[in-house]
Amino acid sequence: MEHQDHSMPGSNSTQSHLIRYKEGLGKYNENMPELTHAYNEFTRHCFKEGEISEKYKQLIALGISIYSQDEYCIIYHTKGCLDQGCSENEILEAVGVSAAFGGGAAMSQGVTLVQECIQELNKPRH
């Protein structure tokens, strides 16, 4: 299997995946606005600050995303972790916890896609 370079802008970059998700959700919303609104409100409520901080909710979501092999959610929640101030080591510890449950499949996502996302999303923007 050939390794894809997610660090370069293009169809396989982290940013491109985030844009594709948002565009897909927008198209879905055109046909299913009530369902989309209900889903967005539900997830907004689930991720808001409560007894568990937004930061830790993003780490939990990342671990579940890795375990379930959901590449779009891995990218989305890696970004969420970074946006909430998670350090690279905190994210990589979440990868380890997920790998403890998900074995090699979870570890492979963590040591490839998650690390590629961190590198791309942590680049200074000009």
Side-chain angles (χ1 to χ4, degrees), residues 48-59:
K48 74 180 184 178
E49 193 83 18
E51 293 297 317
I52 299 173
S53 71
E54 291 180 54
K55 175 181 176 177
Y56 291 114
K57 288 181 179 188
Q58 286 295 333
L59 285 165

Side-chain angles (χ1 to χ4, degrees), residues 45-107:
H45 181 75
C46 290
F47 279 87
K48 74 180 184 178
E49 193 83 18
E51 293 297 317
I52 299 173
S53 71
E54 291 180 54
K55 175 181 176 177
Y56 291 114
K57 288 181 179 188
Q58 286 295 333
L59 285 165
I60 291 166
L62 177 60
I64 293 167
S65 300
I66 294 167
Y67 181 80
S68 64
Q69 301 289 296
D70 185 336
E71 288 189 7
Y72 281 97
C73 284
I74 291 169
I75 293 167
Y76 187 82
H77 292 295
T78 299
K79 181 179 182 335
C81 286
L82 292 169
D83 290 347
Q84 289 299 316
C86 293
S87 70
E88 184 172 348
N89 282 345
E90 287 174 314
I91 294 169
L92 296 178
E93 283 188 29
V95 167
V97 172
S98 184
F101 283 90
M107 187 64 146

